Amino acid sequence: MHHKLGDPDQRNSFSSRRRSVRFAELMRRFPNLDAMRVLDLGGTPEFWRATPVQPKYVTTVNLDPKYDPEEPWLDHVVADACELSTLDKCPGDYDLVVSNSLIEHVGGYQRRRDFAEVVTSAAPAHWVQTPNRYFPVEPHYVAPGFQFLPVRTRARLVSRWPLAHERVYTVPDALAQVLTIDLVSTAELRHLFPGSDIWHERLAGLSKSIVAVRAG
């Protein structure tokens, strides 16, 4: 079950509205997006079908095999976004790498370093967005301070928490879920992408999401 507040696929959800804000900033940074070849690490064809501007060509990469786009400007590759060999499976050269809310899920610091290497190897420009670890409300569970609680406490809470993006009902299942999320700070994002600009998406004056941006 998806909760409307945190489901970006719900048109009027909070997450969907914030995604629209970020896309507007993406367009401001890359006004010629419609002429660019984009590699989207962790994205889906549905995201790009719904955007107000479509790039010249998009390859989406994630581990889900269910996508098989028919549009000539869309391609989907089933692969690990943290492996450089993934780039061999992606056709052509790219102008821009886009990744939204993936890096916090790849699994540990070394995997995030590997992911950053894929990003910087694939194209001269990038946009890598992730929720800010120090925003007071954890975005996956819409729970204040949730990310700072002990792991076992998080699991017990999630098994009873109605606002999670993906509901689970047992502590073991909840534990498996919370361990897949490792929110990233501004300091770490800057370390992983040195030389990139860090843009802060703000809500009520606080930094809700952080984005490493390089214009190429």
Side-chain angles (χ1 to χ4, degrees):
M1 176 185 291
H2 295 283
H3 188 270
K4 186 175 180 180
L5 280 174
D7 186 356
D9 296 323
Q10 290 276 355
R11 185 173 181 180
N12 294 318
S13 71
F14 176 77
S15 292
S16 177
R17 293 195 298 271
R18 299 314 301 177
R19 187 166 64 179
S20 296
V21 170
R22 291 194 295 271
F23 193 82
E25 180 65 16
L26 175 67
M27 285 300 306
R28 190 184 76 80
R29 300 284 187 135
F30 302 100
N32 61 334
L33 182 66
D34 61 346
M36 302 182 84
R37 292 174 59 88
V38 173
L39 180 65
D40 184 344
L41 299 177
T44 66
E46 276 83 354
F47 172 83
W48 292 102
R49 290 187 185 111
T51 56
V53 174
Q54 279 84 40
K56 179 180 179 181
Y57 189 83
V58 179
T59 299
T60 55
V61 176
N62 64 51
L63 297 173
D64 194 334
K66 72 181 179 182
Y67 302 106
D68 187 20
E70 298 179 355
E71 296 90 337
W73 59 278
L74 266 176
D75 186 36
H76 182 68
V77 172
V78 179
D80 187 338
C82 298
E83 294 183 359
L84 278 172
S85 61
T86 289
L87 299 182
D88 297 332
K89 304 176 184 179
C90 300
D93 297 322
Y94 295 92
D95 305 302
L96 172 66
V97 175
V98 169
S99 183
N100 289 299
S101 298
L102 174 66
I103 194 171
E104 72 273 18
H105 294 288
V106 299
Y109 171 66
Q110 185 57 52
R111 291 269 295 168
R112 291 193 288 274
R113 286 191 62 177
D114 293 342
F115 172 80
E117 186 176 3
V118 173
V119 169
T120 55
S121 298
H126 57 249
W127 167 282
V128 178
Q129 177 270 341
T130 185
N132 184 2
R133 174 173 175 78
Y134 293 105
F135 186 70
V137 179
E138 203 286 337
H140 302 87
Y141 300 104
V142 198
F146 179 83
Q147 64 270 41
F148 306 119
L149 297 174
V151 171
R152 190 74 179 177
T153 303
R154 279 183 272 164
R156 288 172 177 157
L157 177 62
V158 166
S159 67
R160 298 172 174 82
W161 189 245
L163 300 183
H165 180 56
E166 294 284 350
R167 286 300 313 275
V168 289
Y169 298 95
T170 69
V171 172
D173 286 346
L175 187 62
Q177 186 184 89
V178 300
L179 288 173
T180 67
I181 303 169
D182 190 6
L183 295 182
V184 175
S185 67
T186 301
E188 182 178 346
L189 195 65
R190 184 174 287 116
H191 171 69
L192 292 169
F193 296 96
S196 299
D197 180 37
I198 304 298
W199 177 67
H200 294 261
E201 175 207 354
R202 296 192 180 275
L203 181 65
L206 301 176
S207 175
K208 179 184 179 295
S209 290
I210 48 179
V211 186
V213 187
R214 176 173 286 176

